[in-house]
């Protein structure tokens, strides 16, 4: 329920305020909005009268916003953008619902995307809109209704659906290995590639194999997919998720740098705010995703 409706400004007045804030004059705002200058001025005065607050500081050269106006337009711009996105989604899928899903780039490209055709076939009335994110990420100022999370259950105020553990493989280009590696510690003589979001992955990997190492250095990458390509081009050894590494190994562009036991450094989860619990497209996506995890698809 929307309370205090008398304080709700019109869309046209918010658009006028946002345009003046962005462009600095009523004439420029009028051109941007395909209105007359007097119409823009009228919208601004009407908004100020409704709010009972001076939003515009007027001088002969240009219009600028008062401190109160600057604070107000930040919220207005955010809400206008959300409304615009909702309108686009409605036009794209007028007969059903949509799900805004934020994904990790490597996971989305290599694991989720090849499977989404099946979801679309089973749920033709639901549109899944994908956006990518890096860590850290939050739902507060983001249109995403759910996200793929990697790591542990350390994200506050969300619900978790476990997908599968992230099992990593140490891989490199064939040219990087001059001879076979029998002991994992031999990898310490090779350049090691690291992820910015999980810079301790190599230390944790060695720990799982019973070796205590620290202070490992090397090139940093912001995404697993970028790091994988660096490994393909011979820049070093990378710890890559098995679903990402196996295709490159099959193509002969990467090889196992050390053929040891699989090591899991965390898990993949679908997460969503509790406010989205009853969102029907999300429920359908969760039910479908549950059939795609290894224990159900094997």
């Amino acid at each position: 329920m929307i309370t205090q409706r008398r304080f709700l400004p019109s869309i046209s007045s918010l658009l006028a305020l946002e345009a003046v804030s962005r462009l600095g004059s009523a004439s420029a705002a009028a051109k941007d909005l395909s209105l007359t200058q007097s119409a823009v001025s009228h919208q601004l005065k009407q908004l100020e009268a409704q709010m009972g607050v001076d939003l515009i500081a007027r001088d002969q050269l240009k219009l600028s916003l008062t401190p109160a106006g600057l604070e107000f337009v930040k919220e207005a711009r955010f809400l206008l953008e959300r409304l615009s996105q909702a309108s686009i989604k409605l036009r794209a899928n007028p007969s059903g619902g949509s799900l805004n899903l934020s994904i990790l780039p490597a996971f989305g490209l290599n694991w989720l995307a090849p499977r989404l055709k099946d979801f679309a076939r089973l749920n033709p009335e639901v549109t899944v809109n994908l956006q990518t994110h890096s860590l850290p990420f939050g739902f507060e100022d983001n249109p995403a209704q759910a996200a793929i999370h990697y790591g542990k259950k350390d994200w506050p105020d969300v619900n978790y659906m476990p997908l599968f553990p992230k099992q990593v493989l140490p891989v490199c280009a064939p040219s990087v290995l001059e001879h076979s590696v029998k002991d994992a510690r031999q990898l310490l003589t090779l350049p090691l590639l690291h992820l910015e979001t999980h810079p301790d992955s190599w230390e944790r990997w060695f720990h799982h194999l019973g070796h205590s190492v620290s202070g490992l250095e090397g090139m940093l990458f912001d995404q697993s997919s970028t790091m994988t390509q660096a490994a393909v081009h011979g820049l070093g050894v990378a710890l890559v998720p098995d679903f990402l590494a196996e295709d490159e190994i099959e193509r002969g562009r990467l090889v196992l740098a050390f053929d040891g036991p699989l090591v899991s450094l965390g898990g993949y989860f679908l997460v969503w705010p509790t406010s989205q619990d009853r969102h029907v497209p999300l429920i359908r996506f969760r039910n479908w995703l549950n059939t795609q995890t290894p224990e159900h698809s094997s």
Side-chain angles (χ1 to χ4, degrees), residues 4 36 49 56 66 69 85 93 96 137 147 164 182 187-188 219 222 230-231 256 261:
Q4 302 295 330
T36 64
I56 304 295
T66 64
Q85 291 170 350
N93 189 15
F137 167 82
F164 50 84
K182 302 299 184 183
L187 295 181
L188 296 172
M219 295 179 65
D222 64 343
L256 278 175

Side-chain angles (χ1 to χ4, degrees), residues 105-106 132-134 194-197 220-228:
T132 59
H133 74 265
S134 299
H194 304 264
L195 274 179
E196 290 180 353
T197 50
L220 283 172
F221 299 86
D222 64 343
Q223 296 180 16
S224 293
S225 55
T226 309
M227 184 175 66
T228 302

Side-chain angles (χ1 to χ4, degrees), residues 193-273:
L193 308 181
H194 304 264
L195 274 179
E196 290 180 353
T197 50
H198 303 284
D200 63 341
S201 292
W202 274 111
E203 283 89 345
R204 293 170 59 200
W205 183 81
F206 278 108
H207 176 75
H208 276 278
L209 297 182
H211 307 303
S212 179
V213 298
S214 61
L216 298 181
E217 299 180 355
M219 295 179 65
L220 283 172
F221 299 86
D222 64 343
Q223 296 180 16
S224 293
S225 55
T226 309
M227 184 175 66
T228 302
Q229 290 306 305
V232 166
H233 292 289
L235 293 180
V237 186
L239 284 175
V240 176
D242 53 0
F243 63 79
L244 184 56
E246 287 167 354
D247 181 57
E248 296 291 354
I249 292 174
E250 185 176 340
R251 295 166 66 184
R253 305 208 308 167
L254 290 176
V255 296
L256 278 175
F258 173 70
D259 191 5
L262 281 175
V263 172
S264 175
L265 297 183
Y268 289 104
F269 302 87
L270 178 72
V271 298
W272 64 94

Side-chain angles (χ1 to χ4, degrees), residues 134-156:
S134 299
L135 301 177
F137 167 82
F139 288 106
E140 297 80 10
D141 300 320
N142 194 292
Q145 296 159 305
I148 299 298
H149 172 60
Y150 161 68
K152 301 180 293 185
K153 290 186 176 182
D154 54 2
W155 194 333

Side-chain angles (χ1 to χ4, degrees), residues 12-13 15-17 19-20 25-45 63:
S12 55
S13 64
L15 289 171
L17 182 68
V20 167
S25 72
S27 59
K31 184 177 181 180
D32 184 67
L33 298 172
S34 299
L35 298 173
T36 64
Q37 184 173 337
S38 61
V40 170
S41 297
H42 175 73
Q43 292 289 351
L44 295 175
K45 290 178 181 178
L63 299 181

